[in-house]
Amino acid sequence: MVKPDIKQFNEIAQAFKMTSEERKDFGEFLEEEKAAGYGGTKNERGDFTYQELQKKAREFLGLELEEENFED
Amino acid sequence: MNLMLIQLIDSETDLKQLQEIVENICGEICWEAKLSYGDELSLEIGDKIPYSHKLMKNKQKGSWRFGTRGSRWRLYSIYFTLDFPANSQNTVSLLNSSKISRKKIRKLIVSSESELKIIKQKIKLLEGNEISQFKLNYPDLVLKISFNNKYELQVFPDWEDDYDLPYWELFTTNNMVLQLGVGRSWSYQRSDLPMNAATEPLTGEELLKTMKEFEYFPKKRVALICGYFYIDEENKIAAKLNDFENAVAAASNINLI
């Protein structure tokens, strides 16, 4: 169990104003991403760095798409 | 506002409401046991509900969801042995004896300290089993979840850590989440509102909706949950207060049913 990682993950969820339910789903989503080969670079297990978690959070919440559309 | 009930745990009676909240989980089936991000043990329990999120479509989650939050845990298999009286003469006298007792034996299957590969494999034993008990033990606050009386999961709070995280959480069927910790306390709050939205007061309409949802709680307790408001003896919103402490004090001073 890696509490610093969980705390970091929690901070990202809070920064993106996720609900507790979304935070839980986001955790499942990240594991799915790791299993599908889209893991992070933090370690050999595919965990995510802080910046990667931020990017994944945006992807999970559909924010990147909205930003791209806004730019268009 | 993120509605939050926080109960400090100073005596066994402080766990009474918690046990009422979780009593309906008994009889539900745990159909998936897995590790979530951060190696949190995660159990999907009860009805299978499709994720509403588009990136998770075709996947399902439980109507009850349990997760550890970095806490230590142990999974035991449970079996019973019979203790026979030492001087039993024959089978008939043995079976008629009132001195035979049943002894509960726990054998460790796997724990949070085990190798990841072993954990992923062994926790699958829980799948397909019915929750037969969900009990927070007092005074050590060790959570014991029994599965078909065959397996027992124990989750241990760590009083030394300062990570400001709960020890475990249970998402319930009514968009609420129950958490143990931080420290010797438990909380029960909405799971469908932003986690850091606790400082925004409810509108009157939201408050009335909340009162309906919490109708099984004493009204005084609802006033406390709602924080920035309290309810007078005619069930009307009596005041909008500036801070939570004032609301608690006001709710404590009026005689609500």
Side-chain angles (χ1 to χ4, degrees), chain A residues 1 3-4 6-7 10 14 18-21 23-25 27-28 31-32 45 47-48 59-60, chain B residues 34 36-37 39 42 51 53 55 59 61 65 69-70 161 163 169 171 191-196:
Chain A
M1 299 293 124
K3 284 221 171 191
I6 296 172
K7 189 162 175 67
N10 223 43
Q14 282 197 341
M18 288 187 200
T19 66
S20 304
E21 191 82 38
R23 189 252 305 144
K24 178 81 176 155
D25 293 351
E28 307 297 341
E31 278 303 291
E32 298 271 340
R45 293 173 45 195
D47 290 329
F48 298 93
E59 184 184 338
F60 178 73
Chain B
K34 61 193 170 189
S36 185
Y37 191 69
D39 298 340
S42 188
Y51 279 93
H53 200 287
L55 292 176
K59 300 191 183 304
K61 56 184 173 181
R65 310 175 79 190
R69 306 231 58 203
D161 89 47
Y163 282 105
E169 63 188 4
F171 291 84
S191 63
D192 56 352
L193 293 174
M195 293 154 61
N196 51 356

Side-chain angles (χ1 to χ4, degrees), chain B residues 36-225:
Chain B
S36 185
Y37 191 69
D39 298 340
E40 298 179 49
L41 176 61
S42 188
L43 305 179
E44 305 291 343
I45 301 160
D47 295 339
K48 294 180 178 178
I49 298 170
Y51 279 93
S52 54
H53 200 287
K54 62 185 176 187
L55 292 176
M56 305 285 279
K57 66 181 178 185
N58 303 325
K59 300 191 183 304
Q60 294 175 313
K61 56 184 173 181
S63 53
W64 296 84
R65 310 175 79 190
F66 174 79
T68 59
R69 306 231 58 203
S71 297
R72 286 187 311 114
W73 54 266
R74 287 179 188 162
L75 177 61
Y76 295 93
S77 64
I78 302 291
Y79 59 97
F80 296 90
T81 59
L82 295 178
D83 266 1
F84 298 107
N87 59 348
S88 51
Q89 298 292 315
N90 56 50
T91 309
V92 175
S93 66
L94 186 66
L95 292 175
N96 289 333
S97 170
S98 59
K99 290 178 182 169
I100 300 176
S101 61
R102 211 167 68 138
K103 193 175 171 187
K104 189 175 182 178
I105 308 285
R106 287 186 183 85
K107 186 179 173 191
L108 184 66
I109 298 174
V110 67
S111 79
S112 50
E113 282 83 32
S114 303
E115 277 181 45
L116 213 54
K117 189 177 160 190
I118 303 291
I119 293 176
K120 286 181 178 175
Q121 180 194 344
K122 295 293 185 184
I123 57 177
K124 293 292 175 191
L125 288 168
L126 296 177
E127 294 181 356
N129 284 293
E130 185 180 297
I131 308 284
S132 43
Q133 190 186 49
F134 192 105
K135 185 170 174 50
L136 191 57
N137 201 49
Y138 186 85
D140 57 13
L141 303 188
V142 174
L143 176 68
K144 294 182 179 180
I145 311 177
S146 299
F147 299 81
N148 271 348
N149 295 315
K150 277 189 345 196
Y151 303 108
E152 185 173 281
L153 176 67
Q154 297 188 358
V155 184
F156 304 88
D158 178 2
W159 309 118
E160 303 296 317
D161 89 47
D162 55 357
Y163 282 105
D164 202 27
L165 286 168
Y167 306 113
W168 53 261
E169 63 188 4
L170 177 71
F171 291 84
T172 67
T173 53
N174 50 354
N175 294 327
M176 300 291 287
V177 58
L178 174 70
Q179 296 176 318
L180 177 69
V182 179
R184 292 184 68 87
S185 69
W186 60 269
S187 68
Y188 190 51
Q189 60 184 308
R190 293 282 291 266
S191 63
D192 56 352
L193 293 174
M195 293 154 61
N196 51 356
T199 54
E200 295 172 24
L202 290 179
T203 64
E205 192 180 339
E206 286 171 335
L207 177 64
L208 292 173
K209 183 169 175 273
T210 305
M211 283 172 63
K212 176 82 178 157
E213 287 175 7
F214 285 88
E215 61 189 354
Y216 53 92
F217 278 159
K219 287 189 174 61
K220 189 159 137 185
R221 177 67 71 182
V222 176
L224 299 184
I225 293 168

Side-chain angles (χ1 to χ4, degrees), chain B residues 203-205 207-208 211 229-232 235-240:
Chain B
T203 64
E205 192 180 339
L207 177 64
L208 292 173
M211 283 172 63
F229 296 84
Y230 71 91
I231 307 152
D232 70 11
N235 281 344
K236 290 179 181 168
I237 300 169
K240 183 177 175 182

Side-chain angles (χ1 to χ4, degrees), chain A:
Chain A
M1 299 293 124
V2 195
K3 284 221 171 191
D5 285 353
I6 296 172
K7 189 162 175 67
Q8 187 181 65
F9 168 75
N10 223 43
E11 285 168 1
I12 296 277
Q14 282 197 341
F16 281 86
K17 299 191 186 308
M18 288 187 200
T19 66
S20 304
E21 191 82 38
E22 283 174 330
R23 189 252 305 144
K24 178 81 176 155
D25 293 351
F26 183 46
E28 307 297 341
F29 169 71
L30 292 177
E31 278 303 291
E32 298 271 340
E33 289 288 274
K34 284 167 63 177
Y38 302 119
T41 60
K42 185 175 181 178
N43 53 33
E44 60 186 18
R45 293 173 45 195
D47 290 329
F48 298 93
T49 63
Y50 192 85
Q51 286 73 23
E52 287 168 345
L53 277 177
Q54 284 180 313
K55 189 163 183 274
K56 285 290 176 191
R58 277 195 288 273
E59 184 184 338
F60 178 73
L61 296 171
L63 298 177
E64 280 183 341
L65 191 62
E66 283 175 18
E67 284 166 12
E68 283 167 12
N69 288 343
F70 184 73
E71 283 171 10
D72 290 343

